[in-house]
Amino acid sequence: MSPIRLKVWADYACFTRPEMKVERVSYDVITPSAARGVLEAIYWKPQVRWVVERLHVLKPIRFTNLRRNEVSSKASASNARQAMAGRSTEPLSLFIEETRQQRAATILTDVAYAIEARFEILDPSDPIEKHYNIFKRRAERGQYFHHPYLGCREFPCDFEWIDGSIPTSPLTGEQDLGYLLHDIEFRPATGKTSDTICGHTGERRDTLPHFFRARMHDGVIDVPPLQPALQEVHS
């Protein structure tokens, strides 16, 4: 069975560097975790896990700057849970006029990538061919669970299934891209506080980011296996 190959492209993209906490600055290229997010937007099942193996940069890397209005806070998850249980004493509203902030961002423009990936089957009773064919059919028809995007939801992307060889990148030579976010490992929370809440099970989770030294050769980035073994990954 051939590896899954998907082309994605968009007018803008922002794969935010975590070390830039005030103003958003994008990585030079798509990250494996962002590529996984695109694949999961098209097809996600708890029986499979996506593994991104290779990323192809199909257009020259170009940056642009823009200013956007953002809010400095978000609705409290604990307040929302208490409201759902009928025990809320705090308001759930968020007033934009009180929290609006204008921020600059350095983002990518006119991007196109090819993603090479495969499945890992978590439920051996399910044949891998079934999931492969479902994903291929959905990608060919342009179907998705939610619209795929490149880094931020305001930057939606188009996609198409690649049959045959991947288009050649115009980039040539070797380029060291530095450390790139690989993915986020989610572990059951052990303390009283947690970093996030699983959207599928409602369990409290702590997060552990993983990075790798990305080197691009003729527009192609080989993604190493995630170490240590990831127990469970969700977007």
Side-chain angles (χ1 to χ4, degrees), residues 47 121-128 130-131:
Q47 292 84 4
I121 296 296
L122 304 180
D123 181 357
S125 65
D126 249 359
I128 191 170
K130 182 188 84 173
H131 297 288

Side-chain angles (χ1 to χ4, degrees), residues 111-126:
V111 299
Y113 306 103
I115 302 168
E116 284 190 82
R118 61 178 172 83
F119 290 124
E120 277 186 2
I121 296 296
L122 304 180
D123 181 357
S125 65
D126 249 359

Side-chain angles (χ1 to χ4, degrees), residues 29 175-180 211-216 221-222 224:
V29 298
Q175 185 175 351
D176 186 350
L177 301 173
Y179 285 98
L180 195 69
F211 297 85
F212 73 105
R213 192 66 180 259
R215 289 181 172 82
M216 181 167 63
I221 303 167
D222 289 316

Side-chain angles (χ1 to χ4, degrees), residues 17 30 65 85 100 143 151 156 162 169 176 194 209-210 227 231:
R17 291 178 174 271
I30 186 173
N65 297 305
R100 178 185 291 128
Q143 296 176 319
I162 297 177
S169 171
D176 186 350
S194 60
H210 291 267
Q227 297 293 339
Q231 296 300 313

Side-chain angles (χ1 to χ4, degrees), residues 10-17 23-31 34 63-64 66 68 70 104-109 111 113 149-156:
D11 293 334
Y12 301 101
C14 182
F15 311 106
T16 306
R17 291 178 174 271
E23 309 290 0
R24 292 181 188 274
V25 177
S26 176
Y27 282 116
D28 293 2
V29 298
I30 186 173
T31 62
F63 287 92
T64 189
L66 59 79
R68 299 183 299 175
E70 299 183 3
T106 302
I107 64 174
L108 295 163
T109 181
V111 299
Y113 306 103
Y149 55 88
L150 298 182
C152 299
R153 287 187 182 273
E154 56 264 52
F155 301 141

Side-chain angles (χ1 to χ4, degrees), residues 77-78 81 194-205:
S78 62
R81 287 197 300 273
S194 60
D195 296 328
T196 187
I197 298 174
C198 178
H200 303 289
T201 64
E203 297 175 351
R204 297 185 303 112
R205 301 288 179 85

Side-chain angles (χ1 to χ4, degrees), residues 77-135:
S78 62
N79 288 349
R81 287 197 300 273
Q82 291 181 9
M84 293 172 64
R87 302 192 302 268
S88 176
T89 58
E90 300 291 336
L92 290 175
S93 57
L94 182 67
F95 296 100
I96 296 175
E97 289 75 12
E98 297 175 359
T99 59
R100 178 185 291 128
Q101 293 182 345
Q102 192 174 64
R103 292 187 175 181
T106 302
I107 64 174
L108 295 163
T109 181
D110 191 21
V111 299
Y113 306 103
I115 302 168
E116 284 190 82
R118 61 178 172 83
F119 290 124
E120 277 186 2
I121 296 296
L122 304 180
D123 181 357
S125 65
D126 249 359
I128 191 170
E129 291 80 8
K130 182 188 84 173
H131 297 288
Y132 179 91
N133 291 329
I134 292 175
F135 178 85

